[in-house]
Amino acid sequence: MGEALVAPVAAADEVLSLLRLLAPNAAAAIWQRDGDWQCLATAGASDGLPVPQGADAMLMAQADQGMLPIVHGAEMLGCLVWRGMPHELAATLGSLLGGQWLCWRQADGRARSRMVQDALLEISRLASECTGLTQFFSQVYRLLAPLFSVDNFHIVLADDSLGALRFPFYRNRHSGFVPDPLRSYAPDETGQARLAARVLAQPATLSLDASMLRAALADETPTPARWIGEPLVGADGKVAGVVVLQRYADEPAFTAAEQRLFQYAARAIGGALTRMQYQARLEQQVWLRTRELEGANTRLMAEVDERRQAEKTQRVLSDIAGLANSSLSLTAFLAGVHRQLVELMPAHNCQVALYDALSDTIRFPYSVDEYETEPVPHKSGRGLVEQVLHSGLPVLASPRKNRSGAGAGSGAQEPESWLGVPLYSGHDLLGVLSIRSYQAGTSYSYRDQEVLCCVADNVGNALARIRVLEELQRAYAELEERVRERTSALDAVNAQLQFDSMHDALTKLPNRSFFAKTLRRFWEAYASGAGERFAVFFIDLDRFKLVNDTLGHLAGDHLLAEAGNRIRSCMRHKDFMARLGGDEFAVLLSGMEQIEGCEMIAQRMVDEFERPIIIAGREVFTTASLGVVLADKEHHHSAEELLRDADHAMYRTKQQGRHGYTVFNHELRADQADQLAMEAELRRALDESDQLVPYYQPFIDARTGHLAGFEALVRWQHPQRGLIAPSVFLPVAEESGLIMRLDRYMIQAACGQLRQWLDSGRVGEHIALHINLSSANLHDTGLVDWMRALMAQHGLRPGMLHLEITETALIDVPDIAATVMAELHDMGVRLALDDFGTGYSALSYLHRYQFDVLKIDQSFVLDVDRKEESAAIVRAILALADALSLEVVAEGVETLSQLWRLRMMGCEKVQGFLFSHPSLARDIDWGRLATIVQEFAIA
């Protein structure tokens, strides 16, 4: 039969032709199953052959006949019914026939699948191409026609609530029912509507046969034999309608393949229909939005025009307001107002009428009219101007329309429209501003009235201004005389203000600003070679704060004034002196070529403070520390450097014991550089852990010899400079602001060491740890919280820690110190007043700051066993401490004689080289400290 694919009927004919050649007397029939059984071809006497029934088509084989099924897997393709030929031949023919059918079926299936796929894709594409549902449904009908019979095909659409149905597309060549595609049907109005409603309600496939349709479609003749409805479901899951396919009795029944294809088509139609409906709604929204935008644009254009007009009105009104505030004459001003008014409205004819109530007369300072001549002043009558004057309100009239018959023949030209508004100044009615138009069809509106009222306000203000100007001219003469009198007084005040801005209010000396300007002028003249060499003195009063705090601010002011007088008495007439602030003074000495002359004047100033100053009947002694610098072009480059060096020399005087002077020289200049280097090295040392180390010197109980505690002393083991004494680097730390970090560094290290001693059993809980605290820490209100956290970290009792504070620290910050020290005392930390007796020994400190311990300075201990004066001082300190319940520690005990004398006086604790030098924690001689108890027992 060849390899070409042939249709099942042709294949059946070829197989039977082969049968006729091989078995001419045999009879056979070939049946195909496609839903129902269909006979494709016969051979021989086939009338008596059996007919296959049902799905199996199996007969019991007999001697000369049989029925051979042709299957593919479990699917029945057809069967071969025969008589008069061997079974083997029947099986061979059946095998040939099955192969041909299977190949044809597969090829036909692929072609049909392509056709179905193309049709479904075309339906999906129609959603974006068709302009309406009618065109869409017609194209769908055209695409489905090649796939299955669509002679009886219609589509039903439902609204969102499924309460109304439409038949936009209906094809039926049998039924007389033709629904109106534009009409909406109730779900129970017709049989087709009721069936569609059933599909919409499920929504699922509804398949009905003839028995069911006779009752459902009683209103149609003839009744279909089969009815299938599929819901049109969109991608959003909503049911949009129903697609229906019907078959009548004279038409072939639905095959299973047609039913599946119909379902696919319904899904494609539903998806496309949803897209079309969405696109229609979107186009409707776009149309509505376009209409809204068009309306908004129209309104916006109207607003733009209105705003432009408003801006123009505002600009004109602003120009008129500018004219009102100008110095123009009344006529020029009104003419300018008229020109501006013409830009806003038809106001070519304009008139200003002013009313004089005393004479009851109306006059016209400005009038422009194309028909009337210059009006003359007259008494008030019954015209439009008088109406405005009498009512005090605007009047808008149309004289030409309202004129009487008698007036019509008078020959006077009447305006088409007239608008007049009152001119006010405050509550005073001054006159009327009016405009008129003679052109037919031109009339003024209420908006013109509002604008003219705004213009009238400016005109009224201008008229009032003119009146005020006249009054002002009369007042100017009086005012000028008063101005002359006040000018002389102000000149005196200005001179005093200028003096006050450049001078100190207390001493009447030039202030810091005046001094800086004068110093800069001296330096610039000297640096340029136009001026002579000069010197700068920086003077600071010693112990001024003590006097101020003890005797009061009035006493301090008296001291400053007297100090200024004493310094001025040592100066020459051409020298310049200023008070820089507080207790600091500065002096410029001109014509100083040699430093010897500077030293002579400096010594004279120092000597002036040897004499006491009498304040409120009391003798007060104060001294002065001076810094002297001689201007030098080689080493100085600005006036500020001179003042800086003088300040540095003054501080060197204070470091050397105060009450004297220091000349700034190369050694101090080098010392400045060394201090900067030492400051940088000290910062690095604070970031490391092996340079700044605590040395510990023990306290001994003077009665028993037992160890009472340690004082932690900072030492700097510099990697290049070696061991640096505290007296060298502590001033650097204080001046650079590093002293707070250094103090906290030492407190943390000492507390950690004490914790180690406690853990190892070296010391007990009674041991006291003394650590020095600088004045800078008393500025820090966060010190207490930091100390509390540190005590908790190391598990130390606050009472073990004794913070040693010098009297100088209390003088620097008495108020802040009181707050911080009170909080430390409340926390349990004990406070010790260090070097008592060497400072100002103000007893108020002991009461105000709640000290727990007094430390007697070693300068008194040194001669306690040799000089009765030192012994008397120590005895007095001990008595004071006993009266105030304070502990006492004597520093600097170096001999047994000193120890014996202190014990006899009742001193509680002693400290000094006699017992131990300060040493590292690892170098403490614990054995030596233990033997002190035995030595005390023997003594």
Side-chain angles (χ1 to χ4, degrees):
M1 291 187 297
E3 297 182 355
L5 294 176
V6 294
V9 175
D13 290 337
E14 290 183 0
V15 168
L16 293 181
S17 298
L18 181 60
L19 175 62
R20 294 186 187 96
L21 294 176
L22 299 178
N25 297 323
I30 297 176
W31 294 80
Q32 182 183 20
R33 179 175 174 78
D34 187 7
D36 296 329
W37 289 99
Q38 180 181 3
C39 183
L40 300 182
T42 60
S46 61
D47 295 339
L49 293 176
V51 177
Q53 300 291 332
D56 52 0
M58 295 296 293
L59 293 175
M60 294 298 297
Q62 299 179 4
D64 60 345
Q65 70 177 6
M67 180 179 290
L68 178 66
I70 302 173
V71 297
H72 173 62
E75 182 181 4
M76 175 72 73
L77 302 178
C79 65
L80 172 64
V81 183
W82 52 271
R83 183 177 60 242
M85 66 175 171
H87 288 280
E88 293 78 5
L89 179 60
T92 301
L93 295 177
S95 176
L96 292 174
L97 186 61
Q100 287 284 348
W101 280 4
L102 182 59
C103 291
W104 170 262
R105 184 173 183 178
Q106 290 176 347
D108 182 65
R110 286 193 297 271
R112 190 170 183 81
S113 295
R114 284 193 299 271
M115 184 171 62
V116 169
Q117 185 177 7
D118 293 342
L120 296 180
L121 289 175
E122 186 67 17
I123 291 174
S124 178
R125 186 179 59 82
L126 288 175
S128 59
E129 293 183 354
C130 293
T131 58
L133 292 178
T134 301
Q135 181 185 6
F136 171 70
F137 291 141
S138 298
Q139 293 296 324
V140 169
Y141 182 79
R142 177 184 60 79
L143 292 172
L144 295 181
L147 304 181
F148 48 79
S149 175
V150 290
D151 292 338
N152 310 298
F153 174 85
H154 66 269
I155 292 175
V156 184
L157 296 181
D159 61 4
D160 293 337
S161 64
L162 305 182
L165 306 177
R166 290 191 304 108
F167 293 82
F169 187 84
Y170 195 91
R171 296 289 186 273
N172 194 316
R173 64 185 183 88
H174 295 83
S175 174
F177 173 70
V178 181
D180 185 356
L182 300 179
R183 179 190 165 193
S184 295
Y185 292 83
D188 58 350
E189 187 171 348
T190 66
Q192 292 291 349
R194 285 190 293 272
L195 293 180
R198 288 177 60 184
V199 177
L200 292 171
Q202 294 178 1
T205 304
L206 180 62
S207 179
L208 302 175
D209 56 15
S211 62
M212 301 176 183
L213 292 172
R214 278 191 292 271
L217 297 176
D219 54 349
E220 289 190 24
T221 303
T223 303
R226 293 285 293 180
W227 190 97
I228 297 178
E230 289 287 342
L232 297 176
V233 182
D236 55 358
K238 294 183 179 180
V239 181
V242 180
V243 58
V244 179
L245 191 63
Q246 302 178 90
R247 294 286 171 86
Y248 288 83
D250 60 344
E251 295 175 341
F254 294 117
T255 65
E258 285 180 330
Q259 293 183 25
R260 288 194 301 271
L261 183 57
F262 184 56
Q263 289 179 343
Y264 295 150
R267 294 173 188 171
I269 295 171
L273 182 62
T274 301
R275 290 194 298 275
M276 289 189 66
Q277 291 175 339
Y278 174 78
Q279 184 175 357
R281 288 194 297 271
L282 185 61
E283 290 176 353
Q284 179 68 15
Q285 293 175 358
V286 171
W287 183 85
L288 292 175
R289 185 58 179 164
T290 302
R291 300 287 82 76
E292 291 177 2
L293 291 176
E294 289 176 352
N297 184 62
T298 302
R299 291 191 297 274
L300 183 60
M301 293 303 295
E303 291 177 2
V304 169
D305 293 340
E306 184 177 354
R307 180 167 297 181
R308 288 175 179 171
Q309 183 63 28
E311 290 176 352
K312 182 178 179 180
T313 302
Q314 187 65 30
R315 177 182 56 79
V316 170
L317 293 178
S318 177
D319 293 343
I320 292 175
L323 291 173
N325 294 321
S326 66
S327 59
L328 296 174
S329 65
L330 179 60
T331 303
F333 163 69
L334 295 176
V337 171
H338 188 193
R339 285 194 299 272
Q340 296 291 337
L341 198 57
V342 170
E343 296 187 20
L344 298 179
M345 60 188 73
H348 299 286
N349 304 294
C350 178
Q351 187 181 79
V352 175
L354 298 181
Y355 176 67
D356 186 357
L358 295 178
S359 61
D360 190 26
T361 302
I362 300 175
R363 61 186 182 87
F364 304 89
Y366 183 83
S367 179
V368 174
D369 193 292
E370 56 186 308
Y371 291 103
E372 292 185 3
T373 58
E374 185 74 22
V376 297
H378 59 78
K379 297 289 184 176
S380 61
R382 300 179 60 184
L384 293 174
V385 172
E386 285 82 351
Q387 292 183 26
V388 177
L389 290 173
H390 293 163
S391 66
L393 299 173
V395 172
L396 178 60
S398 300
R400 187 176 298 175
K401 296 180 181 178
N402 300 332
R403 64 181 176 177
S404 62
S410 63
Q413 181 66 34
E414 295 286 348
E416 176 72 18
S417 183
W418 188 92
L419 175 61
V421 296
L423 295 174
Y424 279 101
S425 174
H427 296 288
D428 298 332
L429 180 60
L430 304 180
V432 177
L433 170 63
S434 63
I435 57 176
R436 64 193 68 187
S437 175
Y438 295 96
Q439 186 176 355
T442 300
S443 61
Y444 299 117
S445 64
Y446 285 104
R447 183 179 181 280
D448 296 330
Q449 177 179 310
E450 292 177 358
V451 174
L452 194 61
C453 286
C454 293
V455 175
D457 290 340
N458 289 283
V459 174
N461 292 334
L463 294 174
R465 177 182 57 80
I466 293 173
R467 290 183 179 180
V468 171
L469 286 176
E470 294 175 352
E471 296 177 359
L472 286 177
Q473 288 176 355
R474 291 191 299 269
Y476 278 159
E478 300 176 4
L479 183 60
E480 287 178 358
E481 180 61 26
R482 294 176 59 187
V483 168
R484 281 193 295 269
E485 295 174 358
R486 294 296 302 274
T487 300
S488 59
L490 287 175
D491 289 342
V493 171
N494 288 333
Q496 184 62 43
L497 289 176
Q498 185 175 5
F499 178 86
D500 292 343
S501 67
M502 301 298 290
H503 290 77
D504 175 52
L506 175 63
T507 62
K508 305 305 178 183
L509 292 172
N511 57 18
R512 179 182 288 272
S513 177
F514 196 178
F515 180 81
K517 293 180 179 179
T518 305
L519 176 61
R520 192 175 301 112
R521 187 174 67 253
F522 270 51
W523 168 257
E524 290 174 354
Y526 169 64
S528 63
E532 54 188 352
R533 195 175 187 184
F534 63 96
V536 179
F537 282 17
F538 198 107
I539 307 167
D540 185 89
L541 301 183
D542 303 325
R543 304 179 64 192
F544 169 75
K545 190 169 183 60
L546 176 62
V547 175
N548 209 34
D549 293 343
T550 306
L551 302 181
H553 291 287
L554 290 177
D557 293 345
H558 182 81
L559 176 61
L560 289 173
E562 179 61 24
N565 292 332
R566 294 190 180 190
I567 295 172
R568 188 185 296 111
S569 67
C570 302
M571 296 166 47
R572 300 165 302 175
H573 178 71
K574 61 179 181 178
D575 297 333
F576 183 82
M577 177 184 175
R579 181 191 175 200
L580 301 183
D583 57 351
E584 295 178 343
F585 298 86
V587 175
L588 285 176
L589 301 176
S590 59
M592 304 301 294
E593 296 295 336
Q594 301 297 329
I595 197 63
E596 289 78 10
C598 299
E599 292 186 86
M600 181 181 65
I601 297 176
Q603 186 60 51
R604 191 187 309 160
M605 291 181 180
V606 172
D607 294 340
E608 276 293 321
F609 289 91
E610 293 286 351
R611 297 182 289 107
I613 299 175
I614 307 302
I615 300 177
R618 300 178 57 178
E619 288 188 351
V620 176
F621 288 89
T622 186
T623 57
S625 296
L626 279 70
V628 180
V629 61
L630 189 61
D632 190 340
K633 297 179 184 178
E634 181 179 354
H635 297 101
H636 297 122
H637 301 88
S638 65
E640 289 75 13
E641 292 183 0
L642 277 169
L643 189 60
R644 178 202 63 195
D645 290 348
D647 187 17
H648 183 74
M650 183 272 294
Y651 273 106
R652 175 55 63 91
T653 304
K654 286 187 174 292
Q655 291 173 2
Q656 293 174 350
R658 299 184 175 91
H659 191 43
Y661 68 89
T662 300
V663 177
F664 190 84
N665 51 30
H666 294 292
E667 179 183 349
L668 287 180
R669 189 171 286 109
D671 182 55
Q672 279 185 324
D674 184 63
Q675 283 190 356
L676 291 175
M678 183 173 290
E679 178 185 344
E681 294 168 358
L682 182 57
R683 290 183 184 275
R684 288 194 294 271
L686 285 170
D687 295 331
E688 301 175 1
S689 60
D690 58 345
Q691 292 193 37
L692 294 167
V693 293
Y695 276 56
Y696 299 93
Q697 188 174 31
F699 298 148
I700 302 299
D701 190 320
R703 293 164 297 184
T704 64
H706 285 95
L707 177 64
F710 289 93
E711 179 179 6
L713 303 168
V714 63
R715 297 293 185 268
W716 186 1
Q717 187 63 47
H718 195 281
Q720 285 82 32
R721 302 174 186 245
L723 187 63
I724 303 177
S727 60
V728 176
F729 67 84
L730 285 181
V732 176
E734 290 179 353
E735 292 182 13
S736 62
L738 296 174
I739 191 66
M740 289 182 61
R741 288 185 58 191
L742 181 59
D743 283 354
R744 295 198 179 194
Y745 179 91
M746 283 299 299
I747 293 172
Q748 192 163 11
C751 289
Q753 183 61 58
L754 180 58
R755 181 71 263 169
Q756 293 181 19
W757 286 338
L758 289 169
D759 293 341
S760 64
R762 287 286 191 186
V763 297
E765 292 288 338
H766 67 282
I767 289 297
L769 179 62
H770 285 238
I771 307 174
N772 292 292
L773 189 70
S774 66
S775 62
N777 282 282
L778 299 180
H779 287 277
D780 186 9
T781 56
L783 175 66
V784 179
D785 292 336
W786 180 82
M787 292 290 298
R788 186 178 290 110
L790 184 64
M791 294 293 100
Q793 175 186 351
H794 294 290
L796 298 178
R797 183 171 50 84
M800 302 177 71
L801 187 63
H802 291 58
L803 296 179
E804 295 189 2
I805 304 169
T806 64
E807 292 182 61
T808 305
L810 302 178
I811 293 173
D812 291 342
V813 282
D815 296 332
I816 300 176
T819 301
V820 175
M821 293 173 66
E823 293 179 358
L824 289 171
H825 195 275
D826 294 341
M827 191 182 98
V829 175
R830 296 172 67 82
L831 303 176
L833 184 58
D834 195 14
D835 299 335
F836 185 74
T838 62
Y840 308 108
S841 301
L843 299 182
S844 61
Y845 294 160
L846 300 177
H847 171 70
R848 183 179 185 184
Y849 300 117
Q850 300 179 344
F851 281 101
D852 303 289
V853 181
L854 289 182
K855 296 193 71 177
I856 303 175
D857 188 69
Q858 59 184 354
S859 61
F860 301 119
V861 176
L862 178 64
D863 296 326
V864 72
D865 57 337
R866 293 177 295 178
K867 292 183 179 181
E868 186 56 33
E869 293 85 353
S870 297
I873 293 174
V874 172
R875 191 178 297 108
I877 294 173
L878 291 172
L880 176 64
D882 181 64
L884 297 176
S885 300
L886 302 178
E887 296 181 7
V888 178
V889 178
E891 298 178 306
V893 178
E894 300 181 357
T895 66
L896 289 174
S897 176
Q898 294 169 348
L899 174 61
W900 180 83
R901 189 65 181 272
L902 289 169
R903 292 180 69 185
M904 291 298 294
M905 291 180 178
C907 184
E908 299 174 2
K909 297 177 183 178
V910 290
Q911 173 188 2
F913 292 166
L914 178 62
F915 311 107
S916 175
H917 287 265
S919 60
L920 293 169
R922 65 173 181 269
D923 297 333
I924 293 176
D925 190 351
W926 296 98
R928 163 63 183 152
L929 296 178
T931 62
I932 296 176
V933 178
Q934 300 173 0
E935 295 175 0
F936 272 48
I938 296 172

